[in-house]
Amino acid sequence: MTSGFHFWDYVIFIAYGVLILGVGLWVSRDKKGHQKNAEDYFLASKSLPWWAIGASLIAANISAEQFIGMSGSGFALGLAIASYEWMAAITLIIVGKYFLPIFIEKGLYTIPEFVEKRFSTNLKTILAVFWIALYVFVNLASVLYLGGLAIETIMGVDMIYAVIGLALFAAAYSLYGGLSAVAWTDVIQVVFLVLGGMATTYIALNTVSGGEGVMAGFSKVMEAAPDKFHMILDEANENYNNLPGIWVLVGGLWVANIYYWGFNQYIIQRTLAAKSLKESQKGILLAAGLKIVIPLIVVVPGIAAYVMVNDPAIMATLGEAGTLSLPSAEQADKAYPWLLQFLPTGLKGVAFAALAAAIVSSLASMLNSTSTIFTMDIYKQYINKNANDKQTVNVGRISAAVALIIAVIMAPLLGGIDQAFQFIQEWTGVVSPGILAVFILGLFWKKTTNNAAIWGAVLSIPIALALKYIPIAALEPWMHQMGLTAVLTMLVIIVISYLQNKGADDEKGIPLSKELFKTSPLFNIVSIVISIITAVLYCLFW
């Protein structure tokens, strides 16, 4: 497949690399007579405009697992996997209206910092250590592994060299520049993401239609594989346990989505760096709008690949290249890399740059967030309480470098255990419902006490494990387990809070008012439009 990469592809890909590095280093240079302080490094001087926030949210979110994993899911189970994207659009609106006003009012750097202000330093430290471990051993390692796998498949570069290359590229601008470098380069990364993704979608649909264009191709894909265009799977479907029908809309996927978009440091950090709450909310709307379009560039190519592979007439037109690294039901994740080889010279470079942009922007975001939590919540709390700005920024850089080195060592090991990635996703789902319960009640129920929150967080793990291993058929889909764990953890917190405070408000409870959640007419109108579009899409593809 290496032969498919030509001179102009290399030129475009190298130009992309130089552009990202150049912009990253240029925006993060120290202004004359001003030395970088903690706010500059970790919150981009609180100067991000709405369009940079929206682009950065999407760039941080979309990684190799979206391009490769979601195209693979499109190949295997169809459009139903788009629920992750379309429901995220609604979740983002909820976060923008109800969570951000509280976070920004409290002037947060990190999510654990909110836990300290609302509950206690002890609970903050427990969660900070947990998040650092999760980012380093799960998120960073898995993004590096999937990215390395993609480069190995497309360019024939050995996995370990691909992983090291990606790590060095992400480190080159994000360690020096902090969030400012990450957020501004994300704007460019999103342009590459969308252009590269659309190019692949265009080629896939055009090939299916025999050169008659995208609309004809889409009609043919719907005709050839109507069963791939159902959003709600019935119980007879072999993939029901992963996407359990109507429960996707009313069950545990909300836990995963609200936890990810509302309380995840490397996502929420961009919104905390806004010029103002209004800018932040506009950025959230841009991200929500983009979320509706994303399945077009990550799921549809996978469904088109499924139609191509199962149509002998189309396969005959692809020649020898069509038989290389062919995707199958067992190896659905090969769908996206397989499609890339049919792109014409030049566009292949753009599409590959899109894949690299997805990987590198997510790596840079996770690195910056890991170093922010370590520096602000552990170093400044326990190691050096009086650290000046220079020391704080330097510790941020060193901790990010150490996290990256550990992740590079871990990444190739994920390939040795075949189901490592699936295993990791499920275990993240064991922990997130407890954290979600602590945050939701901490934000919106003034009676929640610190002891109740600690007990809730601790007991949520055995509750989740019990639901995971008790052999009840109705609980088999992991989304059901997540939803039920969140509800039971909330009950634990409510009961302990009542027993401790006899129904009185907790002294650290957050006073809420209608004024706090007041949003602009623009926010309200665009939110309604996005909600209507999402509802229409579900009706069309029910």
Side-chain angles (χ1 to χ4, degrees):
M1 254 163 108
T2 338
S3 59
F5 231 69
H6 295 290
F7 173 73
W8 284 110
D9 297 316
Y10 285 111
V11 168
I12 287 169
F13 185 66
I14 290 165
Y16 148 77
V18 171
L19 178 68
I20 292 297
L21 277 180
V23 170
L25 295 173
W26 187 76
V27 298
S28 54
R29 72 201 188 287
D30 285 334
K31 311 293 180 281
K32 222 174 185 176
H34 175 74
Q35 193 187 349
K36 249 190 205 68
N37 60 31
E39 190 175 277
D40 296 334
Y41 189 78
F42 297 114
L43 289 182
S45 317
K46 288 208 170 184
S47 63
L48 293 185
W50 64 271
W51 45 273
I53 293 165
S56 194
L57 281 168
I58 295 297
N61 164 241
I62 290 193
S63 183
E65 68 249 42
Q66 253 85 0
F67 267 112
I68 293 166
M70 278 208 161
S71 289
S73 296
F75 185 95
L77 60 93
L79 194 64
I81 197 72
S83 272
Y84 278 92
E85 302 300 304
W86 290 342
M87 281 178 66
I90 305 297
T91 308
L92 276 161
I93 292 168
I94 294 168
V95 170
K97 182 157 179 75
Y98 295 108
F99 299 178
L100 274 190
I102 300 174
F103 291 161
I104 286 179
E105 187 199 41
K106 294 207 168 290
L108 301 184
Y109 276 84
T110 70
I111 289 294
E113 194 186 342
F114 166 76
V115 177
E116 182 175 43
K117 288 184 174 179
R118 175 60 182 86
F119 295 115
S120 67
T121 306
N122 290 349
L123 186 56
K124 176 190 87 165
T125 307
I126 293 167
L127 291 182
V129 169
F130 154 72
W131 263 312
I132 290 169
L134 188 70
Y135 287 159
V136 175
F137 294 104
V138 179
N139 301 51
L140 279 169
S142 60
V143 168
L144 277 171
Y145 167 67
L146 281 172
L149 190 66
I151 291 174
E152 188 178 51
T153 311
I154 297 161
M155 293 181 87
V157 178
D158 192 52
M159 161 73 91
I160 190 70
Y161 295 123
V163 165
I164 292 169
L166 285 169
L168 289 175
F169 187 27
Y173 67 90
S174 68
L175 294 200
Y176 174 69
L179 185 63
S180 187
V182 174
W184 288 108
T185 50
D186 278 352
V187 176
I188 302 166
Q189 311 268 35
V190 162
V191 174
F192 273 98
L193 275 178
V194 174
L195 287 180
M198 292 233 168
T200 313
T201 305
Y202 172 79
I203 292 293
L205 293 176
N206 198 44
T207 306
V208 168
S209 70
E212 287 178 27
V214 172
M215 294 316 289
F218 192 71
S219 302
K220 189 165 179 194
V221 168
M222 285 190 75
E223 251 170 66
D227 55 320
K228 298 280 183 199
F229 285 89
H230 294 300
M231 290 302 295
I232 307 296
L233 304 179
D234 59 35
E235 285 191 49
N237 193 301
E238 60 182 335
N239 292 296
Y240 181 80
N241 274 358
N242 288 326
L243 289 164
I246 191 72
W247 289 101
V248 171
L249 285 181
V250 293
L253 190 55
W254 284 108
V255 175
N257 257 328
I258 293 173
Y259 164 75
Y260 181 86
W261 292 102
F263 308 119
N264 188 344
Q265 178 70 21
Y266 75 84
I267 293 295
I268 211 77
Q269 191 165 349
R270 283 112 190 80
T271 59
L272 302 178
K275 289 176 179 176
S276 65
L277 175 60
K278 276 199 168 57
E279 284 290 301
S280 191
Q281 287 171 330
K282 281 195 278 187
I284 285 254
L285 289 178
L286 174 61
L290 286 169
K291 270 289 170 203
I292 288 176
V293 184
I294 297 291
L296 187 66
I297 60 178
V298 293
V299 182
V300 172
I303 305 174
Y306 171 82
V307 172
M308 289 160 75
V309 167
N310 290 292
D311 188 328
I314 294 176
M315 289 304 287
T317 66
L318 299 177
E320 196 189 328
T323 60
L324 294 171
S325 286
L326 201 65
S328 62
E330 292 73 40
Q331 291 192 302
D333 282 356
K334 286 187 172 177
Y336 200 84
W338 180 73
L339 284 171
L340 286 188
Q341 63 184 330
F342 306 120
L343 288 168
T345 301
L347 271 185
K348 198 175 290 173
V350 174
F352 191 58
L355 195 55
I359 299 160
V360 171
S361 59
S362 294
L363 279 177
S365 302
M366 289 168 191
L367 278 177
N368 188 253
S369 295
T370 308
S371 72
T372 306
I373 292 180
F374 176 80
T375 309
M376 305 308 286
D377 295 322
I378 292 175
Y379 175 75
K380 282 198 84 167
Q381 180 79 48
Y382 297 104
I383 301 167
N384 184 357
K385 284 190 176 176
N386 303 316
N388 60 31
D389 279 327
K390 190 177 182 182
Q391 288 170 316
T392 309
V393 171
N394 284 341
V395 168
R397 287 175 180 150
I398 294 163
S399 56
V402 171
L404 191 60
I405 291 163
I406 296 169
V408 166
I409 295 164
M410 289 291 300
L413 303 178
L414 293 182
I417 332 160
D418 189 38
Q419 285 300 307
F421 190 65
Q422 198 50 43
F423 174 83
I424 284 164
Q425 291 303 316
E426 276 190 36
W427 286 92
T428 308
V430 165
V431 181
S432 55
I435 293 175
L436 181 79
V438 167
F439 272 95
I440 292 287
L441 289 175
L443 281 168
F444 302 112
W445 195 55
K446 282 191 263 190
K447 294 177 170 53
T448 313
T449 65
N450 175 48
N451 282 349
I454 292 175
W455 275 109
V458 171
L459 289 176
S460 70
I461 308 287
I463 291 171
L465 292 176
L467 293 175
K468 194 173 176 60
Y469 291 114
I470 291 171
I472 302 171
L475 284 178
E476 260 185 31
W478 61 271
M479 280 189 198
H480 292 1
Q481 296 162 17
M482 277 180 80
L484 204 51
T485 304
V487 170
L488 290 173
T489 307
M490 284 184 181
L491 279 174
V492 167
I493 295 172
I494 289 168
V495 168
I496 295 173
S497 294
Y498 261 111
L499 291 173
Q500 192 183 345
N501 265 8
K502 308 284 185 290
D505 286 354
D506 186 68
E507 59 183 19
K508 285 189 170 181
I510 298 169
L512 303 176
S513 65
K514 275 186 182 174
E515 281 304 304
L516 187 62
F517 302 120
K518 210 171 185 181
T519 41
S520 66
L522 175 77
F523 184 91
N524 299 337
I525 292 163
V526 178
S527 299
I528 291 165
V529 169
I530 288 170
S531 304
I532 291 169
I533 292 170
T534 309
V536 168
L537 286 168
Y538 268 98
C539 292
L540 283 175
F541 298 110
W542 190 266

